[in-house]
Amino acid sequence: GTAPGFAFIDSGKVLILLPGVPIELEDMFEKHGLVFIQKHFPLKEKDFQEIINICLLPEIKIDDLLKTIELPDDVTLGIYPAPGFVQVSITTKALNKSFATKKIRDIKNKIAIEFSDYIYVSEDGKIERAIHDLLIKNDEKIAFAESCTGGEIGRASCRERV
């Protein structure tokens, strides 16, 4: 197209003007606007974190393995125990998720191999969600015979179905 575009920096203020025709705007922004932004406002590294949820193991057993893993300078491990499960976080700084994933892949694999029988996955990180999803996936049901909880487990499972 012939529509012009402009980019200005004056007194610390930025103004980018692009044509209104969508095909020209998109092309100009991709080829020139992004380059201008990246040149004048380079991205700084961001924090990226992966969480591994491990159940039915004591914190000390997980921590013993974590202590043996050699970490790059910009990768940290965190261990967060809770009743019935432990969360292990792997955190690093990177320009994007792709770079972050490459940095932590080996560490995540070591943990996953060692504790493969105890790792669970759920959208929100909750073990009850993982059990719920697994039951649905396998078309299975669960029943409770309660005498000490006053029906709380059954009531909670009914809410999840709705």
Side-chain angles (χ1 to χ4, degrees), residues 3 24 33 40 42 49 54 62 87 96 117 138 143 159:
E24 292 177 0
H40 295 284
Q49 182 181 56
I54 303 171
I62 298 165
Q87 283 190 330
N96 60 49
D117 291 340
N138 293 326
R159 282 193 302 262

Side-chain angles (χ1 to χ4, degrees), residues 11 13 37 72 81 84-86 91 105 112 114 138 150 154 160:
S11 302
K13 306 276 191 273
I37 292 168
F85 71 97
V86 174
T91 307
R105 182 182 304 132
E114 184 69 25
N138 293 326
E160 284 295 321

